[in-house]
Amino acid sequence: MDLPANPNVSSPFDSRSPLRDVVTYKAHIIDTALGVLAGVVVFLSVLKTISWKRRVASAAIDLKIVLTFLLFYAGDLANVFVLVTLATGVYWLMLCKAQQQVSVELPLPHQEKHFVTYIICAFALKAVQFIHKLAVQSSVDVFFIDWERPRTTASRTVTASGQQKRDFLPVSIWRTYFVAKEWNKIQTIRKTRPTFQIMAVLFFLEVLGFSKFTLMEPRPSSNDLSQVEPPSYSVILRYGLASALWLCIGLLQVIFTIFYEICVDDKIRQFVDLCSISNISVLLLPQRCFGYYIHGRSVHGHADTNMEEMGNNLRREAESLCGQRGLLPNTDMQTFQVALSTRLRSHYDRIRESFSRRYGPARLMDSANQWEQNIRAYHTMNHFLGSVIDHAHPDMDYYVRDKLALESVMGMEFLEPIEKTIFYNDEAHSFSDVLFHGHESTLLLFDMLFFCVVDFACQNFVLAGLLTYIEQMIFRKIRINVGRRNLAYKTQVDERFLM
């Protein structure tokens, strides 16, 4: 016999149910959190834009400044979406799978659609930020300053005065080629291993069976997966589980890489060491009046030598029988952030304009005269930058100082290089900001969002992992090819030596 329904008792499937009110309230909390945090990060984006405006020495607020603000805000807003959606996904995963009886239900399908919209917005905004960083890194001004000078050797020719004539040995270009090749190789190194990242995530999701925790049922059992009907998965739970696993594994990789670089092998510090051995300094300018300088001037005065002399030089340096490698006397500081004066940058641009836009092999150029002009411009630039480092231009001089703690936190220089260029000591090797190595968080979040968006479309973690791997290889290939072409043009190093 059926009992009469009690109108005072609400069903969890009724739209008037308090449970449904709770779910709606949580949705409102998400919207409120997104709105508040989106407003807060406006100030962070404005701060980044002000810093960028000072570094490009722009006097007015124009369309380019507004566009740059929008690009910065896109990246910051993407982080807001990721933070809120990740917290929401993990919250529902813990809430629904930890309950002993059905007391809380997952959000309704139309609420999940709103959640998916937030993820797609986060992916689109993060893609804009990623492409912007890719474009900046692929257009960096870079120049290798060769400190080597021609060495004299005794000649068999005797002058009329009876003195033996001295011949000058030309400086070899192979050291510059070698440093350029090594720089090209480290442009795409990362703090995580993308292939291992994907394989580890799929191992937990598919091999260990973590994906069963994304079923609509509160507490899945082994019998649930053997039913004839296909299992029903929750979009929010799949995102919460996949994104949490992705970030945890990525964080563990970053921590491991930090210890590995300190104790075993650090490609970034090895490049600085290579510059010193090769007697080559590197100037990097991602913005018009801001960049990085790696001081690679050899303490032995020359590096274009034979194996025996090179070994003796390294042995003397290991035994502290020679000077230190730092830019300033009796210091070891070799890496700097540089705020250029407009006078120095203008002179740099005048020499740069004489470079040909042809970066191919010399034999393929339309005119031999243009190639000779490029050679003269290269030597002019090399002499000019070397003389600036040696304080040979009083009107374009520089000084060295430490950055204030607040300057480092805000990512901004308080002093404007009006009369003199400013070199900031940089123990953190911040020049990695023009490499993939310096933007691991952006790359990690972009890959995570791509993985989750693909999974939303196909409900298949394995296919999402495969497509994410293809995406990573495509963008890595683009970064390598475009970066190599830019490096060949900016340094006049033949592209065939950068393979």
Side-chain angles (χ1 to χ4, degrees):
M1 180 177 180
D2 296 336
L3 296 177
N6 188 349
N8 297 325
V9 178
S10 59
S11 169
F13 298 98
D14 187 1
S15 60
R16 297 172 298 175
S17 171
L19 181 61
R20 292 305 180 199
D21 294 338
V22 172
V23 172
T24 304
Y25 177 70
K26 296 299 181 183
H28 287 310
I29 289 179
I30 295 175
D31 294 337
T32 302
L34 287 174
V36 172
L37 293 178
V40 172
V41 296
V42 169
F43 297 98
L44 180 60
S45 301
V46 169
L47 189 65
K48 293 179 180 178
T49 306
I50 293 174
S51 175
W52 182 87
K53 180 176 179 294
R54 293 166 66 96
R55 290 178 175 182
V56 299
S58 176
I61 300 178
D62 52 11
L63 183 60
K64 189 174 182 180
I65 299 294
V66 176
L67 179 61
T68 301
F69 166 76
L70 294 177
L71 291 173
F72 285 140
Y73 187 60
D76 294 332
L77 189 58
N79 295 335
V80 169
F81 276 108
V82 170
L83 177 63
V84 175
T85 54
L86 177 64
T88 303
V90 174
Y91 168 80
W92 278 107
L93 183 65
M94 297 175 61
L95 185 66
C96 294
K97 299 307 173 182
Q99 59 183 339
Q100 299 296 324
Q101 57 184 356
V102 181
S103 59
V104 177
E105 289 188 345
L106 288 167
L108 296 173
H110 75 275
Q111 292 172 323
E112 285 194 337
K113 289 182 179 179
H114 287 106
F115 187 83
V116 172
T117 302
Y118 295 148
I119 304 301
I120 294 176
C121 290
F123 171 70
L125 293 171
K126 185 58 67 172
V128 171
Q129 182 190 26
F130 173 65
I131 293 174
H132 175 231
K133 291 184 180 295
L134 194 67
V136 171
Q137 290 188 2
S138 301
S139 59
V140 170
D141 279 344
V142 55
F143 192 83
F144 300 108
I145 307 172
D146 191 354
W147 294 102
E148 200 77 13
R149 295 295 178 260
R151 302 174 70 179
T152 60
T153 181
S155 174
R156 296 181 180 180
T157 305
V158 180
T159 62
S161 60
Q163 296 180 350
Q164 192 175 26
K165 185 178 179 181
R166 309 291 293 182
D167 292 334
F168 287 93
L169 296 176
V171 175
S172 173
I173 195 62
W174 285 107
R175 291 171 299 100
T176 302
Y177 284 179
F178 183 66
V179 173
K181 182 178 178 65
E182 291 302 310
W183 174 258
N184 185 60
K185 288 170 58 178
I186 67 173
Q187 288 192 91
T188 55
I189 63 171
R190 294 179 53 174
K191 295 179 181 178
T192 61
R193 300 298 182 265
T195 304
F196 174 81
Q197 177 78 18
I198 296 174
M199 297 300 294
V201 171
L202 292 180
F203 176 79
F204 281 98
L205 291 174
E206 298 295 340
V207 178
L208 297 184
F210 279 29
S211 60
K212 68 177 181 290
F213 292 106
T214 63
L215 291 170
M216 297 290 288
E217 290 77 5
R219 300 185 68 187
S221 62
S222 58
N223 297 327
D224 293 334
L225 298 180
S226 61
Q227 295 177 353
V228 177
E229 296 182 359
S232 177
Y233 293 99
S234 167
V235 171
I236 293 181
L237 298 187
R238 287 180 75 88
Y239 174 78
L241 179 62
S243 59
L245 276 175
W246 192 283
L247 293 180
C248 288
I249 294 173
L251 180 61
L252 290 176
Q253 282 201 77
V254 171
I255 295 174
F256 173 79
T257 301
I258 292 175
F259 284 101
Y260 183 83
E261 290 178 346
I262 294 175
C263 303
V264 182
D265 185 20
D266 186 352
K267 299 295 183 182
I268 303 300
R269 296 183 184 275
Q270 284 181 358
F271 179 78
V272 177
D273 184 62
L274 174 65
C275 290
S276 297
I277 296 175
S278 304
N279 204 16
I280 301 288
S281 293
V282 184
L283 179 65
L284 306 162
L285 298 175
Q287 280 88 36
R288 184 175 184 272
C289 291
F290 180 83
Y292 308 94
Y293 174 69
I294 303 173
H295 187 65
R297 195 170 194 172
S298 175
V299 295
H300 310 289
H302 57 272
D304 198 358
T305 182
N306 55 40
M307 181 184 295
E308 181 181 1
E309 188 173 357
M310 176 64 72
N312 292 331
N313 290 340
L314 295 178
R315 191 178 303 109
R316 292 178 57 227
E317 191 171 357
E319 297 173 356
S320 301
L321 299 178
C322 57
Q324 294 175 289
R325 293 180 173 182
L327 174 62
L328 298 179
N330 300 320
T331 64
D332 286 325
M333 184 60 62
Q334 294 180 256
T335 52
F336 303 86
Q337 296 182 17
V338 183
L340 299 180
S341 64
T342 54
R343 183 182 293 110
L344 176 57
R345 178 67 200 205
S346 298
H347 197 90
Y348 176 92
D349 289 336
R350 283 195 296 270
I351 302 176
R352 172 67 67 189
E353 289 173 359
S354 60
F355 280 7
S356 169
R357 291 191 175 273
R358 297 294 297 271
Y359 42 79
R363 58 185 173 84
L364 299 180
M365 288 192 171
D366 297 333
S367 174
N369 293 331
Q370 185 62 64
W371 173 248
E372 294 176 359
Q373 179 181 350
N374 289 347
I375 297 299
R376 289 194 298 270
Y378 167 81
H379 288 296
T380 301
M381 181 69 78
N382 190 77
H383 175 74
F384 167 68
L385 294 178
S387 60
V388 168
I389 300 299
D390 286 337
H391 300 279
H393 298 274
D395 58 333
M396 291 180 284
D397 205 0
Y398 68 93
Y399 63 94
V400 181
R401 65 182 295 265
D402 291 324
K403 256 193 173 183
L404 300 176
L406 187 59
E407 288 180 309
S408 299
V409 171
M410 298 178 64
M412 178 188 300
E413 297 74 38
F414 296 158
L415 297 178
E416 294 190 18
I418 300 176
E419 296 295 334
K420 291 185 177 182
T421 297
I422 307 175
F423 279 52
Y424 294 95
N425 294 317
D426 181 25
E427 296 182 357
H429 293 68
S430 299
F431 68 88
S432 63
D433 286 346
V434 300
L435 310 171
F436 270 5
H437 190 273
H439 296 280
E440 184 59 48
S441 60
T442 300
L443 296 170
L444 190 67
L445 290 178
F446 177 75
D447 292 339
M448 181 201 75
L449 291 170
F450 184 90
F451 179 86
C452 293
V453 169
V454 174
D455 180 63
F456 289 161
C458 62
Q459 293 285 297
N460 190 319
F461 285 129
V462 176
L463 180 58
L466 177 61
L467 294 181
T468 302
Y469 174 78
I470 296 174
E471 166 264 316
Q472 291 172 343
M473 294 300 102
I474 290 175
F475 280 109
R476 183 176 181 272
K477 192 69 174 178
I478 292 174
R479 176 66 178 87
I480 290 174
N481 290 336
V482 179
R484 181 172 60 239
R485 292 166 68 91
N486 177 72
L487 183 62
Y489 166 57
K490 297 294 177 63
T491 62
Q492 296 300 298
V493 174
D494 196 299
E495 194 171 344
R496 292 175 294 179
F497 294 100
L498 302 176
M499 296 297 182

